[in-house]
Amino acid sequence: MSEICPKCGLPKELCMCEEIAREQQSVRISIDSRRYGKTVTVIDGIDGNDIDINDLAKTLKSRCAAGGTCKDGRIELQGDHKKKVKAVLEEMGFRTEVR
C-alpha cells in the first residue's frame, strides 16, 4: 500500500502538490557582498512549507560546485552563480527573477 499525500489525497507517486507549488512561486536571485570582497548568490522567495528547501539547496550546491547554506528561508551559495542557478531552477519548474 502506498502513502497518501495529506494535501491532495492522491498516492505519493501521483501527487502534483510540489510541482504546482513550484509553478506558483516567484524566486528571486541576487548577488550580495560579504566581508573581504567575497560574493554570495542569494536565492530568496521559496516557501519552505511546500518545498524541501534543504534538498533544493543540496541540489543547487552540487550543480554549481559551490559551498552554501540555508538560513531564514533563503539559500546562499558561495560565489557568483546567477546564470547557472537561474537555468537550474527554471529546469526544475520555478519562475525566476534575477536582480
Side-chain angles (χ1 to χ4, degrees):
M1 178 105 184
S2 64
E3 267 185 68
I4 303 292
C5 175
K7 290 182 186 176
C8 64
L10 292 172
K12 286 286 186 182
E13 55 268 1
L14 297 176
C15 177
M16 299 291 285
C17 293
E18 192 167 315
E19 239 178 85
I20 292 169
R22 287 180 184 172
E23 293 171 0
Q24 292 174 344
Q25 295 181 23
S26 179
V27 179
R28 292 174 301 282
I29 303 167
S30 61
I31 298 294
D32 196 10
S33 275
R34 297 295 160 91
R35 62 166 83 154
Y36 310 119
K38 304 283 184 183
T39 57
V40 177
T41 304
V42 179
I43 299 99
D44 196 10
I46 300 169
D47 185 8
N49 297 330
D50 297 328
I51 294 168
D52 185 6
I53 198 165
N54 291 322
D55 189 42
L56 180 60
K58 185 177 179 181
T59 303
L60 288 173
K61 289 189 304 185
S62 67
R63 295 283 294 269
C64 294
T69 186
C70 291
K71 56 182 170 185
D72 303 329
R74 302 179 340 164
I75 299 172
E76 298 179 358
L77 297 176
Q78 297 171 356
D80 185 353
H81 300 285
K82 280 194 295 192
K83 290 179 183 174
K84 189 139 196 162
V85 168
K86 179 177 172 57
V88 170
L89 288 176
E90 285 179 350
E91 178 184 307
M92 295 172 86
F94 287 97
R95 286 184 303 148
T96 60
E97 171 187 328
V98 178
R99 292 185 178 175

